[in-house]
Amino acid sequence: MKSLDREMIPGVSLRVIETDRFKTCSFHVSFLTQHQKETASANALVPYVLRRGCKRLATLQDLNSELDYLYGASIEPFVYKQGDVQYIGFSCDGIDDRFATGDESIPKSLFSLVHELLFDPLLENGAFLEQYVSGERENLVSMILSEKNEKLSYAYQQACEKLFVKQGFGLSAFGTLNHAKALTRESVFSAYRALLKHAPMQITYCGSESFETISEMVTSVFSDYKREVINSVSVSNPNFSDEVFDVEENQDMAQTVLLVGYHTNADEAVSKVLSAVLGGGTASKLFLNVRERASLCYYTGSVFDARQDTMFFYAGVKDETATLAYQKMTEQLHDCAQGKVDEEELSQAKRLLISKLKIIKDTAGGLLNYWLDRAVDTEQKSIEETERAIRSVTLEQVISAARACELKMIYRLCGKEIRADARKLLR
């Protein structure tokens, strides 16, 4: 398996993951832009409206008929975020040319269809069709509302949003409910025009075709895409307040979601291993000591985000045990900082992380997402390089990283309101 990347034309970068392990060709075509509250919802709606139809294929039925001709290929809207960078575009899948009959190239046909959707949209009086925008706007509102149903991910997003005030780290990839409801066909078309004019485009392909073959297709299909000013897009440096936030939110729910957030202040690979030692599975300190031995939570774990430089402990707890759970969770980090971690715990954490890296190679989607995540990185490490970095982490580095962690956020998503001072974890 080979992975190569290059800027094909100004503002259009291509990465090709060349492998014959799969029977499909898969790729993403996405615009990258800084993730901001004012523009996030309009940007997110753009690919959904574009996919509804272009001048030649005016309806979704027309597009699907064309895709059926290409052995049931698919083109789906794609909205994603990494740090405070938003990705907007299309995710495409089709049969690999090795298994197709005839002379027509499946990936080139899909690239051409994406080009039509992006650059030849169906317009009415200088903007998108009202019926397409209104229909997709309602779908977007529903998607944002549905995020509240996933309590843990919602709590994590809310905690990040409050930790990084006026930064895009905690903002949903789909933006905010109020901004989504206020979208018009004119505002969405304006967002579309801004993306076309200034947003860098990232194309990430996974399949059996060589870099040279795919680069020829991309150059041929997108050769007319020329721009004067292309914005530079990268993940911002997170700004941490000196304050430690203690935040509570109430919803109609049976249990409390508790999050404890830290600024890690350490090397990425070392922080990943530390996070795995503390909350990376059934052999982790949080699971064994907080859930199993102390019986203080229903579930627990940790998540490390290199773009935010944060590590969050999480747990589902009874409201009355939140304080004890918090104390026991923070005790695990304190123990690591005091050197109460051994080589077996280190080895188990590394095995877990390396196993997850190996699983990435099992699907085209996993490989695409791995490299798409790294499109905003200055140094884009391969899976093998990431694995070597994890293997090289020492026990002393993990202990040092634990000592460097700074408490920044305590967040509780609770089921019912009681006296606020009775649940303050910071005294």
Side-chain angles (χ1 to χ4, degrees):
M1 182 173 61
K2 296 191 295 185
S3 177
L4 299 171
D5 71 297
R6 187 185 306 159
E7 185 175 59
M8 303 311 303
I9 55 179
V12 179
S13 296
L14 170 67
R15 177 173 289 278
V16 171
I17 307 155
E18 185 181 336
T19 176
D20 60 3
R21 292 190 63 188
F22 313 114
K23 295 181 179 180
T24 59
C25 66
S26 305
F27 62 89
H28 293 152
V29 178
S30 53
F31 292 106
L32 276 61
T33 185
Q34 293 301 144
H35 196 36
Q36 299 173 338
K37 184 175 292 187
E38 295 75 19
T39 57
S41 293
N43 288 339
L45 201 62
V46 166
Y48 289 92
V49 173
L50 290 176
R51 203 270 305 259
R52 290 289 293 267
C54 57
K55 288 181 180 177
R56 185 174 70 86
L57 304 168
T59 68
L60 192 54
Q61 183 178 358
D62 293 335
L63 175 61
N64 287 334
S65 294
E66 189 99 351
L67 292 170
D68 286 342
Y69 176 75
L70 297 173
Y71 302 90
S74 66
I75 298 177
E76 297 295 332
F78 175 68
V79 180
Y80 178 70
K81 83 178 186 76
Q82 189 61 241
D84 66 341
V85 174
Q86 188 182 26
Y87 298 70
I88 308 103
F90 295 106
S91 175
C92 308
D93 286 285
I95 190 172
D96 194 280
D97 278 347
R98 292 173 296 161
F99 306 101
T101 59
D103 299 326
E104 189 172 17
S105 167
I106 302 301
K108 186 169 184 179
S109 297
L110 286 173
F111 279 127
S112 297
L113 279 175
V114 169
H115 183 276
E116 282 190 79
L117 294 175
L118 286 176
F119 299 102
D120 203 16
L122 195 61
L123 304 179
E124 182 180 63
N125 298 324
F128 291 132
L129 270 65
E130 175 59 34
Q131 74 176 94
Y132 287 178
V133 172
S134 61
E136 296 302 334
R137 181 179 59 234
E138 293 306 309
N139 291 336
L140 181 64
V141 167
S142 296
M143 284 191 286
I144 294 173
L145 287 171
S146 71
E147 291 181 328
K148 283 193 173 184
N149 296 329
E150 297 293 333
K151 301 303 183 185
L152 179 57
S153 59
Y154 171 77
Y156 179 67
Q157 178 189 306
Q158 290 296 102
C160 289
E161 186 172 0
K162 289 170 174 59
L163 181 60
F164 299 107
V165 180
K166 297 182 180 179
Q167 299 180 73
F169 294 105
L171 182 64
S172 164
F174 300 109
T176 68
L177 184 61
N178 288 339
H179 282 93
K181 288 180 176 179
L183 292 175
T184 65
R185 69 192 194 98
E186 291 81 11
S187 64
V188 179
F189 186 71
S190 177
Y192 159 74
R193 294 296 299 165
L195 291 171
L196 282 190
K197 287 182 179 180
H198 304 302
M201 178 188 286
Q202 175 67 44
I203 300 173
T204 310
Y205 164 90
C206 181
S208 66
E209 300 288 2
S210 67
F211 182 89
E212 290 72 20
T213 299
I214 297 299
S215 64
E216 287 176 6
M217 292 180 190
V218 169
T219 303
S220 171
V221 171
F222 294 97
S223 60
D224 59 344
Y225 186 33
K226 294 180 174 62
R227 297 171 289 176
E228 294 182 1
V229 179
I230 302 165
N231 294 338
S232 175
V233 175
S234 61
V235 176
S236 304
N237 291 322
N239 296 321
F240 290 92
S241 169
D242 293 334
E243 177 185 358
V244 179
F245 296 94
D246 189 358
V247 179
E248 179 181 307
E249 183 178 347
N250 300 104
Q251 283 191 15
D252 183 14
M253 51 191 287
Q255 63 181 243
T256 292
V257 178
L258 172 63
L259 294 172
V260 185
Y262 296 90
H263 179 199
T264 48
N265 289 300
D267 173 80
E268 179 178 343
V270 177
S271 294
K272 280 182 180 177
V273 175
L274 172 63
S275 180
V277 166
L278 289 163
T282 56
S284 68
K285 287 183 175 293
L286 288 172
F287 186 89
L288 292 176
N289 296 318
V290 183
R291 184 185 185 276
E292 294 296 288
R293 291 171 185 149
S295 299
L296 290 171
C297 61
Y298 302 103
Y299 60 84
T300 186
S302 66
V303 56
F304 167 69
D305 190 317
R307 307 313 188 285
Q308 296 175 176
D309 200 13
T310 58
M311 177 176 63
F312 273 84
F313 298 161
Y314 60 83
V317 302
K318 294 180 181 178
D319 188 76
E320 58 268 23
T321 62
T323 299
L324 287 175
Y326 164 75
Q327 292 170 351
K328 198 68 175 178
M329 291 165 78
T330 55
E331 181 183 304
Q332 307 314 305
L333 178 62
H334 181 265
D335 284 351
C336 279
Q338 295 300 309
K340 296 178 183 178
V341 55
D342 57 39
E343 289 289 350
E344 179 57 28
E345 289 175 300
L346 180 68
S347 296
Q348 288 174 337
K350 288 182 179 181
R351 285 197 294 269
L352 176 70
L353 293 171
I354 291 168
S355 175
K356 289 180 178 180
L357 285 173
K358 293 184 184 300
I359 290 172
I360 289 171
K361 298 179 181 180
D362 291 341
T363 64
L367 288 166
L368 285 174
N369 289 336
Y370 177 88
W371 283 110
L372 199 64
D373 284 352
R374 282 143 191 82
V376 292
D377 290 347
T378 303
E379 183 183 2
Q380 298 184 8
K381 290 183 180 179
S382 67
I383 295 175
E384 292 73 22
E385 288 171 327
T386 301
E387 181 179 336
R388 286 195 292 272
I390 289 169
R391 290 187 184 278
S392 69
V393 173
T394 66
L395 197 59
E396 291 72 22
Q397 287 176 313
V398 169
I399 294 169
S400 178
R403 291 171 180 165
C405 288
E406 296 180 74
L407 179 64
K408 291 295 179 183
M409 167 64 70
I410 302 168
Y411 177 91
R412 294 171 309 289
L413 183 61
C414 304
K416 56 184 178 180
E417 294 190 44
I418 60 173
R419 282 191 312 114
D421 62 346
R423 285 209 288 225
K424 281 291 182 182
L425 300 183
L426 293 177
R427 299 290 184 178

